[in-house]
Amino acid sequence: GLTFEVNLAERLDTGLFLDHRDVRARVREMAKETLGSKRFLNLFAYTGTATCYAADGGAKHTTTVDLSRTYLDWAERNMERNGFTGRDHEFVQADVVRWVTEQRHTYNRWDLVFCDVPTFSNSQRMRKSSFDVQRDHVELIIGVSRLLTRNGSAIFSCNLRGFKPDVEALKKAGVVLEDITEQTIPEDFQRNKKIHHC
């Protein structure tokens, strides 16, 4: 029921991660079930497809954050393409890890967060010299958890095949993880289920 801009000619990435189909559908269903302010946050948002699904599920206010202006513009076009425009949908160009830390010191909170992290990044625009999901996930997930409303939920996703969350460190910070990976792998990826962790 949604349409997206894809690019099959100019770059390796097409603008749409096929293995996240079921995750995006889950985001839409979770947005439908969300009570309260219905605020959605998409971190490392890429082309904003998850934001479109959340808006389609009834998210009244969306915040889409990515370091790349190119991808944010693409995300905004995807939102417009599906009829989601206006001041209730904001697009923020920022180092996500730094931005999450900054938001913890504000009153901004979200009912639903989708955080699909890169495996590794060493962009010169980041505060730290690099981001490594295995090394840095605890700090990030704790930060994301502090941005949730009382009944809020977050989906954390990564593509590192051997990813092992530090459950004990997260538990000490009051963060409880539920592994939903199995439920988020589409049928056409069943032969190699290590496409992502959720």
Side-chain angles (χ1 to χ4, degrees):
L2 296 170
T3 60
F4 300 108
E5 174 185 326
V6 294
N7 186 333
L8 301 175
E10 295 172 20
R11 44 198 333 140
L12 285 174
D13 50 343
T14 65
L16 189 64
F17 293 132
L18 295 178
D19 64 296
H20 273 106
R21 256 189 346 264
D22 292 354
V23 180
R24 290 189 294 269
R26 180 178 284 254
V27 165
R28 174 166 41 202
E29 292 310 307
M30 290 174 77
K32 286 179 184 175
E33 296 165 7
T34 298
L35 304 173
S37 59
K38 289 192 167 280
R39 292 168 56 88
F40 173 75
L41 173 61
N42 188 357
L43 300 171
F44 300 99
Y46 188 42
T47 60
T49 54
T51 308
C52 294
Y53 272 79
D56 195 49
K60 289 184 170 56
H61 183 278
T62 66
T63 305
T64 304
V65 186
D66 200 279
L67 188 58
S68 166
R69 174 48 52 195
T70 299
Y71 289 138
L72 279 176
D73 290 344
W74 195 335
E76 194 162 2
R77 290 193 304 273
N78 276 333
M79 286 287 281
E80 288 171 357
R81 179 181 295 271
N82 289 288
F84 305 119
T85 59
R87 292 189 325 197
D88 289 331
H89 304 292
E90 63 178 329
F91 302 86
V92 179
Q93 182 179 12
D95 170 351
V96 170
V97 176
R98 178 188 293 174
W99 188 85
V100 166
T101 301
E102 291 167 357
Q103 292 304 303
R104 288 177 66 175
H105 302 291
T106 71
Y107 290 110
N108 294 328
R109 295 298 177 263
W110 287 267
D111 303 291
L112 179 59
V113 177
F114 179 60
C115 182
D116 180 31
V117 299
T119 297
F120 181 81
S121 177
N122 62 354
S123 172
Q124 293 178 348
R125 290 179 288 170
M126 293 174 64
R127 178 178 60 178
K128 285 184 173 180
S129 57
S130 68
F131 173 83
D132 180 294
V133 67
Q134 188 62 65
R135 180 190 69 207
D136 301 323
H137 74 277
V138 171
E139 177 188 351
L140 179 60
I141 291 174
I142 290 170
V144 167
S145 76
R146 303 312 192 247
L147 298 182
L148 292 171
T149 56
R150 183 176 297 279
N151 296 311
S153 300
I155 296 177
F156 177 84
S157 175
C158 76
N159 291 83
L160 178 63
R161 289 180 185 267
F163 178 69
K164 295 268 189 280
D166 189 339
V167 176
E168 288 307 310
L170 290 166
K171 200 171 178 182
K172 284 179 187 169
V175 177
V176 179
L177 294 184
E178 176 188 353
D179 187 347
I180 59 169
T181 304
E182 188 70 32
Q183 303 153 46
T184 65
I185 305 293
E187 186 178 349
D188 46 323
F189 287 90
Q190 289 297 317
R191 197 163 47 98
N192 182 0
K193 296 183 182 183
K194 295 197 173 191
I195 188 73
H196 68 241
H197 295 274
C198 238

